[in-house]
Amino acid sequence: MIDLHHHLLFGMDDGPATQRQMEQMLLRASEDGVTVVVATPHYLPGIFPFPAETYALRIRQANEATAAMGLALQVLGGAEMLYTPQAERHLAERRVPTLAGSTKVLVEFQPSVRLRELMQGMETILRGGYLPVLAHVERYGCLMAGRGEAAARLKRELEVTLQMNADTVVHGGRLGQRAAVRALLERGLVDHIASDAHNTDERGCRMGAAYRAVLGKLGLAEAERMFGTRESMAEFLDR
Ligand SMILES: [Fe+2]
């Protein structure tokens, strides 16, 4: 499996604080069946400076750690960018790490964002030459009303892909959004399932359990599409 949303780099954001904790997260991801993980620390344009040098060092340290631990796990670079008024400029200045150096940018909005604002943000990203991947689609009320109609409209009108957290797949989502979570999965509107792991506890990697749930309910082709085979994800990430 390929996990394209994972806060494994230590000392960067609200993910692990120490190298040891990062190593435990890498071990957990590998045990869960992940072979490629895209490290996506938070990038908050205009709110908090992104430590680019530390980021590059941490990517190197993460790959050295997987090699030292003998794990068949490759760590690629990326970021989870919060959409802010400064996002457009940071993207234009090529400061935001894209997913594995591709044209795809993992982007999150405030959970209370309105559909109109969300779509305007996506249009801005697209105009800048990037392809947005919406992080944890289940977090936005404007997309979770009804049975996935707004998410379907978003995908019809704009070239965006939608990511759902593995934990949401396993537990079915919060009360009040369970029907929408199910509808999104059953209608094929979810493009990627990723862990959004921050630690090895309550926000840990649940990729294995989520894969088994999707395999059981929707079958192998859908599981492979959303969890990514090496080939499909290589194509997606332009590698
Ligand atoms: Fe995240």
Side-chain angles (χ1 to χ4, degrees), residues 107-138:
V107 59
E108 67 170 339
F109 290 78
Q110 298 292 349
S112 60
V113 67
R114 285 174 305 183
L115 185 59
R116 210 175 108 84
E117 293 170 64
L118 185 141
M119 290 184 79
Q120 283 170 347
M122 292 300 197
E123 280 171 23
T124 301
I125 294 170
L126 285 161
R127 257 201 323 275
Y130 294 93
L131 294 171
V133 178
L134 181 63
H136 32 64
V137 57
E138 68 273 27

Side-chain angles (χ1 to χ4, degrees), residues 5-7 13-14 40-42 80 106 108 135-136 139 163 165 195-198 203:
H5 183 173
H6 198 302
H7 298 262
D13 58 7
D14 53 348
T40 53
H42 289 289
E80 177 180 21
L106 183 67
E108 67 170 339
H136 32 64
R139 202 170 286 179
Q163 179 256 312
N165 283 0
S195 73
D196 193 11
H198 282 68
R203 297 189 78 183

Side-chain angles (χ1 to χ4, degrees), residues 150-190:
R153 185 184 146 206
L154 171 66
K155 290 191 67 171
R156 228 176 13 249
E157 295 187 13
L158 298 172
E159 192 179 357
V160 308
T161 55
L162 307 179
Q163 179 256 312
M164 183 177 277
N165 283 0
D167 190 54
T168 301
V169 174
V170 174
H171 298 294
R174 288 198 311 275
L175 220 61
Q177 60 165 214
R178 302 178 75 90
V181 165
R182 205 165 49 237
L184 251 57
L185 287 166
E186 286 173 357
R187 293 176 66 178
L189 294 167
V190 175

Side-chain angles (χ1 to χ4, degrees), residues 10 22 27 37 40 56 71 74 80 85 131 148 150 188 199 224 233-234:
F10 69 98
M22 175 179 78
L27 180 61
V37 58
T40 53
L71 305 178
Q74 186 186 5
E80 177 180 21
L131 294 171
N199 52 45
E224 289 199 336
M233 202 52 70

Side-chain angles (χ1 to χ4, degrees), residues 7-51:
H7 298 262
L8 65 101
L9 303 181
F10 69 98
M12 292 284 298
D13 58 7
D14 53 348
T18 67
Q19 167 131 12
R20 174 94 188 104
Q21 288 168 349
M22 175 179 78
E23 287 167 3
Q24 287 169 339
M25 290 176 77
L26 289 167
L27 180 61
R28 173 69 64 84
S30 183
E31 286 172 348
D32 237 20
V34 174
T35 54
V36 177
V37 58
V38 186
T40 53
H42 289 289
Y43 188 111
L44 311 169
I47 296 176
F48 198 79
F50 187 76

